[in-house]
Amino acid sequence: MSVKNEFSKYAKEYQSHNIIQQICAKSLVRELKTKPKKILELGCGSGQVFSQISWDIDYYKAIDFSESMCKLHPKAKNIQVKCYDFDTKEFLEEIKDDKYDVVLSSSALQWSKDLSKIVKHLSFITNEINAVLFTSNTFKTIQKVSNTKSPILDENSIKEAFSKYFKCEFETIMYKLEFDNKKDLFDYIKKSGVSGGNSAMDFKTAKKLYKDYNLDYLEFEVIFVKAILC
């Protein structure tokens, strides 16, 4: 199953299964030093970042590759919600003539197939990016037990991509989310949107993981990025 389908499949349930993403969205907006008026958001989902913005804005462009998510995002005259995969030419065409006070992204850019290319193009349209990305250390023990590789970028790749074009501050945080039982824990993995296309592991691997995963929590590693154009 593709990452896109995974998000669309659980769009309605997503809000109750994305606790870590909600924490990240709140932190992202809280850490802004200014109150930008013109904002581009990549991976807008159902509007978690937007819901944290308490000041008046002139224009907000929200991008997500899941149509189901885009339908759930708040709409208004000064909000434009567009369905694009940010790895595509179409997306780059869409933004090439824009200018923004800031680009925001929470829990999305780790899926990029070419993060460096996206960051380069963002450097043409903004002086500032504030982003939160999950790293490949998310679900680290699960990967170890199931002998699988994370589908998302590692911490160093993320740092390199942003540092090529911006002066950056990075902060990496490990969150642990505890569960009462294994069923709830594995349901969360499936519906949270963090596992992406990797949740469709074969039955044998899934069975082994269910048997051998002895922690009562899941690990999430996120990196906070504050990037200012040099």
Side-chain angles (χ1 to χ4, degrees):
M1 184 184 285
S2 72
V3 175
K4 186 175 181 178
N5 289 339
E6 190 78 355
F7 278 98
S8 297
K9 186 178 173 186
Y10 295 113
K12 288 279 195 292
E13 294 179 63
Y14 180 71
Q15 285 174 324
S16 60
H17 284 88
N18 64 346
I19 298 150
I20 303 297
Q21 287 96 323
Q22 288 174 45
I23 292 167
C24 291
K26 281 180 185 175
S27 301
L28 183 72
V29 177
R30 194 176 59 229
E31 288 293 311
L32 287 174
K33 300 256 189 323
T34 60
K35 293 183 175 175
K37 293 288 191 182
K38 200 171 178 192
I39 300 169
L40 169 66
E41 187 194 350
L42 303 184
C44 63
S46 55
Q48 283 164 320
V49 170
F50 181 77
S51 70
Q52 300 301 319
I53 291 171
S54 56
W55 60 91
D56 290 333
I57 52 167
D58 295 334
Y59 177 67
Y60 197 99
K61 184 180 275 188
I63 305 283
D64 202 281
F65 66 3
S66 165
E67 283 186 30
S68 311
M69 290 291 187
C70 289
K71 282 175 187 169
L72 295 172
H73 195 282
K75 312 286 191 300
K77 276 185 181 175
N78 60 343
I79 304 169
Q80 192 174 27
V81 183
K82 296 227 166 180
C83 191
Y84 283 105
D85 178 339
F86 45 60
D87 275 320
T88 61
K89 270 186 189 169
E90 289 80 11
F91 165 68
L92 297 179
E93 278 295 311
E94 169 70 25
I95 64 164
K96 70 178 170 56
D97 297 322
D98 294 354
K99 285 286 178 215
Y100 295 97
D101 298 330
V102 69
V103 174
L104 301 177
S105 184
S106 182
S107 320
L109 284 170
Q110 70 269 3
W111 297 114
S112 175
K113 294 179 183 72
D114 192 345
L115 182 59
S116 180
K117 184 179 179 182
I118 291 174
V119 174
K120 179 184 177 182
H121 281 269
L122 293 178
S123 73
F124 304 148
I125 63 167
T126 189
N127 291 329
E128 187 177 346
I129 302 171
N130 274 48
V132 193
L133 296 83
F134 284 95
T135 81
S136 59
N137 276 337
T138 295
F139 299 163
K140 184 170 66 174
T141 305
I142 283 181
Q143 293 165 43
K144 201 173 171 184
V145 172
S146 62
N147 198 25
T148 53
K149 190 177 181 295
S150 175
I152 58 180
L153 294 169
D154 62 73
E155 183 183 356
N156 286 339
S157 302
I158 293 166
K159 286 180 174 178
E160 278 174 24
F162 280 97
S163 298
K164 266 187 197 174
Y165 306 100
F166 289 82
K167 185 182 174 186
C168 301
E169 284 177 34
F170 300 106
E171 185 181 6
T172 304
I173 298 172
M174 179 70 85
Y175 293 102
K176 287 179 180 177
L177 189 60
E178 293 182 3
F179 294 85
D180 293 332
N181 57 66
K182 269 192 178 181
K183 185 185 180 300
D184 290 350
L185 186 147
F186 281 88
D187 274 353
Y188 186 95
I189 296 169
K190 193 188 288 183
K191 295 173 182 176
S192 68
V194 181
S195 60
N198 244 27
S199 67
M201 62 175 67
D202 65 72
F203 178 74
K204 192 179 171 186
T205 308
K207 193 177 173 185
K208 181 186 186 308
L209 185 59
Y210 198 88
K211 179 172 162 281
D212 295 345
Y213 190 78
N214 295 320
L215 304 178
D216 63 353
Y217 60 83
L218 288 172
E219 304 144 309
F220 299 83
E221 188 176 85
V222 299
I223 183 166
F224 286 80
V225 182
K226 289 181 185 176
I228 305 288
L229 202 62
C230 302

